[in-house]
Amino acid sequence: MSEANKATSARIFKEGWPGPNTSLLRELAAADMVDHGAMDGMPPGIDGYIGTLEFFNGVFSGWTVDIHHQVAEGDLVATRLTLGSKHTGDGMGMPATGKPVVLEMMLLQRFGGGKLVEEWLNMDSGSMMQQITG
């Protein structure tokens, strides 16, 4: 099951996050999933997860996703990845700059019944802001 969860995780990042591809995300995640990285004010469950991704897809475009490592044990998948994009939309208190942004991220996801049921995200937000304003 660990390999199947890793494959589902990779699809979420590479196919679901850019856009975002809401139909794919609804297929691969439980409706009541818990997103520990959701933005303040987002509804619970998959709707908040998608809302957070819609916000970031409105601020950044041309996403690339490079998965460097994935480790799975039981129902958990840990992933280290890099997101590349361009700051092309207004948001986070500043107008679009057109600058490239590279984000290093670590995520831990829990799966149940082949679907994403919980996610924790760790990214360097300070680096992101420095790349936009620097």
Side-chain angles (χ1 to χ4, degrees):
M1 194 54 146
S2 294
E3 290 303 313
N5 290 343
K6 283 170 53 176
T8 300
S9 174
R11 285 191 70 202
I12 288 169
F13 299 137
K14 290 186 171 226
E15 300 173 39
W17 279 14
N21 183 338
T22 57
S23 61
L24 180 68
L25 292 170
R26 289 185 189 284
E27 174 188 329
L28 300 179
D32 62 348
M33 70 157 296
V34 178
D35 177 12
H36 295 282
M39 296 176 60
D40 289 340
M42 289 292 169
I46 188 64
D47 291 333
Y49 190 71
I50 288 171
T52 297
L53 288 167
E54 286 174 336
F55 172 81
F56 280 102
N57 274 274
V59 175
F60 300 99
S61 63
W63 290 37
T64 60
V65 180
D66 293 312
I67 296 174
H68 305 292
H69 298 98
Q70 279 194 307
V71 178
E73 183 175 319
D75 61 353
L76 297 173
V77 176
T79 305
R80 184 176 76 84
L81 60 84
T82 301
L83 287 181
S85 64
K86 232 180 209 183
H87 182 225
T88 55
D90 297 345
M92 300 178 298
M94 62 185 59
T97 63
K99 293 182 178 181
V101 176
V102 176
L103 286 171
E104 297 286 332
M105 305 173 90
M106 296 280 296
L107 295 104
L108 181 64
Q109 296 171 309
R110 187 170 62 84
F111 289 84
K115 291 186 177 256
L116 176 63
V117 295
E118 197 166 13
E119 181 177 280
W120 296 264
L121 165 69
N122 187 354
M123 72 176 187
D124 187 355
S125 300
S127 171
M128 175 180 63
M129 297 306 289
Q130 188 175 38
Q131 290 175 68
I132 292 170
T133 61

